[in-house]
Amino acid sequence: MSSAYFRLIRPHWTIASTLAATAGIFQAWSEGYSRPWLAAVVIAAAFTSHAFMEVWDEIKDFQHYRNEFPAESSDPLTLFSGGSGVLTGRRLRMESVRRFFWTLLVVYAVLLGVIISQVGWRFLLCVAVGFFFLFGYNAVVKLSYNGLGELANFVAFGPVLVCSAYLALRLGSGADVTDTGSWNLVASLDLQVVAVSVVLGVIWFGSLHVQEMLDLEEDAAGGKRTLVVRYGREYAARVPWVTAIVVVGLLCGLAVDRPLYLVALPAAILHAVETFRFMRRWRDHTYFMRKMSDFFVYRNFVLIGSSMLLATALLPTPPGVDPVDRWLLVACAVVSFLPAAFWLSGNGVFRWRRHPQEPERIDAP
C-alpha cells in the first residue's frame, strides 16, 4: 500500500522542484542570507507542493479519461488515465487518493504557515504565481490544452521555484538591511539568481518537448494542443538543441562574475552534443526509443543543476555566515534528492544500456 502512495507522487519528477528550490537557497547563502532550518522548510514545501500537484493531475486525468473515453479498467494506460497507474491498476481507490491529496495539502499549508511567519505575507505573491502555473497546467485554465503548457513548465520549474526560495531565505534571514517591506518582490532579485532560474527553466522547456514527441498522437486525440501537436516533431526535435545552446551561453555569462560556474560547463556541453545527435537521428525509431528510455534531457537537467549547486557550494563562506551552514544546506539538498534519485537509478536513467528494452511509460508532470 505504501508503495502505491509513493508511486502516486511520481517521485522521478520531484527533483525538478527540490533542485530548483535548492538552487535559490544556495544563491541566497552565497550572498550572506542563511538560515538552514528555514531552508529545510522551504525545500519540504517545494517537495510537498509538487507531490500534491502530481496527485491532483492524476485525479483530473483519470476523470477526464473516464468521462470522455469510457472503457474498462483493464484497458491500456493512455495520457488521460492517470500516468502512475495507481487508479487504473486499482492499487488505490479514488477515495483514498482524494484523502491523500487533502493530507498533502494540509501538510503544505502548515509548512507555508511557518514560512510566512518568518518571511511575511508578501510571500503569498510567490505562492499565487506558482499555483497559477502548477494547477493551471491541466486544470482550471488548462494551459497545456491551449499551447501554453511548455511555457508554464518553464516558469514554474525555473523562475518561480528558484526565485521564491531565494526570496524566502533573503527576506527571512533578517540580514537584508535594504528590505523596506515593499510588496515589489522583483526588486529584491538580482540578475544572477534570475539567470540561474532561466538555466533550469529552459532545460525543462526542452525536456518537455522531447517527452511530447512520444505523446503526440494521444495529445492530439485528447484535444491537448501542445506546441508539438501544433508544429510537429520536426519542430520539437530542434527546441532542445536551441535551449542547450542557451544554457551554455548563460553559464559562460555567469562564469564572468563567478568562475566556479565553469564546473557546470562540461555537463552543459555534454547536453548540447547529445541533443545535437538526437536532433539529427530522432527519425530512427530504435534510436528514438533508446533515448526516450534513457530520458537524456531530464538526466542532463539533473547533472547541470547539481553541478551548479556544487559551484555555489564551493564559494568562500560569506561574511557573517556560520561555516557549518554550508554543509547543513548540502545535507538538505541530498536528502531532498533521495526519492527521485532512488526511482531514477532503479529505472536505469543514469546507467548506459547498449540494448535497452521498451521503456516504461513516464508521464510529464
Side-chain angles (χ1 to χ4, degrees):
M1 184 70 71
S2 59
S3 63
Y5 287 108
F6 183 69
R7 186 181 183 90
L8 188 60
I9 66 172
R10 302 179 200 178
H12 45 279
W13 293 115
T14 56
I15 201 171
S17 293
T18 57
L19 193 154
T22 307
I25 289 167
F26 271 63
Q27 283 294 312
W29 169 85
S30 70
E31 297 177 18
Y33 309 115
S34 180
R35 292 181 76 183
W37 76 267
L38 179 58
V41 174
V42 170
I43 293 173
F47 178 90
T48 307
S49 66
H50 192 133
F52 73 68
M53 180 268 293
E54 293 286 6
V55 177
W56 172 263
D57 280 351
E58 183 96 1
I59 293 171
K60 300 305 292 186
D61 282 348
F62 182 80
Q63 290 175 339
H64 188 281
Y65 174 70
R66 290 308 179 206
N67 291 336
E68 301 297 329
F69 305 98
E72 297 297 326
S73 61
S74 59
D75 286 352
L77 294 176
T78 74
L79 173 69
F80 301 105
S81 63
S84 73
V86 169
L87 284 171
T88 52
R90 296 186 175 181
R91 300 183 65 179
L92 290 173
R93 297 174 61 85
M94 177 63 82
E95 293 79 6
S96 299
V97 174
R98 289 186 184 278
R99 282 196 298 269
F100 185 54
F101 169 79
W102 287 111
T103 299
L104 290 172
L105 193 60
V106 170
V107 172
Y108 176 76
V110 172
L111 294 171
L112 181 60
V114 173
I115 295 172
I116 290 175
S117 71
Q118 301 299 311
V119 178
W121 292 101
R122 292 175 293 170
F123 191 72
L124 286 177
L125 291 176
C126 299
V127 176
V129 174
F131 271 31
F132 173 79
F133 288 106
L134 288 175
F135 281 97
Y137 181 75
N138 264 352
V140 191
V141 293
K142 292 190 174 182
L143 297 172
S144 62
Y145 288 81
N146 299 313
L148 296 174
E150 297 83 358
L151 175 64
N153 274 264
F154 160 74
V155 175
F157 294 104
V160 168
L161 275 168
V162 175
C163 295
S164 295
Y166 170 84
L167 287 169
L169 267 293
R170 176 167 180 167
L171 301 178
S173 68
D176 186 2
V177 296
T178 65
D179 180 26
T180 61
S182 171
W183 283 72
N184 180 16
L185 297 181
V186 176
S188 297
L189 300 174
D190 58 36
L191 186 59
Q192 191 164 74
V193 72
V194 172
V196 169
S197 73
V198 172
V199 168
L200 297 181
V202 297
I203 301 173
W204 192 258
F205 183 80
S207 173
L208 192 57
H209 277 75
V210 174
Q211 178 64 25
E212 287 174 348
M213 292 175 72
L214 185 64
D215 294 338
L216 188 148
E217 286 79 13
E218 290 178 352
D219 285 352
K224 204 171 187 177
R225 301 294 295 171
T226 66
L227 293 181
V228 180
V229 169
R230 291 187 176 189
Y231 301 114
R233 289 191 174 94
E234 292 277 353
Y235 151 82
R238 288 173 170 78
V239 170
W241 163 243
V242 174
T243 59
I245 296 302
V246 170
V247 168
V248 172
L250 286 171
L251 285 175
C252 290
L254 285 167
V256 172
D257 291 327
R258 291 184 177 177
L260 276 171
Y261 273 114
L262 293 176
V263 169
L265 199 56
I269 293 174
L270 170 67
H271 175 52
V273 171
E274 194 172 10
T275 308
F276 180 69
R277 293 187 63 190
F278 174 81
M279 183 179 70
R280 298 184 62 187
R281 297 184 56 191
W282 68 268
R283 296 176 188 83
D284 180 338
H285 179 72
T286 301
Y287 174 82
F288 177 81
M289 296 309 293
R290 175 171 72 81
K291 299 307 288 183
M292 290 303 299
S293 178
D294 292 342
F295 207 42
F296 72 102
V297 181
Y298 187 51
R299 178 234 303 154
N300 292 342
F301 168 86
V302 175
L303 293 176
I304 295 171
S306 300
S307 298
M308 293 173 68
L309 289 179
L310 176 62
T312 309
L314 291 174
L315 290 169
T317 303
V321 174
D322 189 338
V324 177
D325 285 5
R326 181 205 314 265
W327 307 115
L328 290 174
L329 295 179
V330 170
C332 287
V334 171
V335 170
S336 68
F337 293 173
L338 286 179
F342 174 77
W343 184 280
L344 292 171
S345 62
N347 285 273
V349 173
F350 294 103
R351 182 175 66 248
W352 176 258
R353 292 168 290 177
R354 293 181 61 85
H355 303 289
Q357 302 298 316
E358 189 74 7
E360 180 182 352
R361 173 63 175 272
I362 301 179
D363 291 298

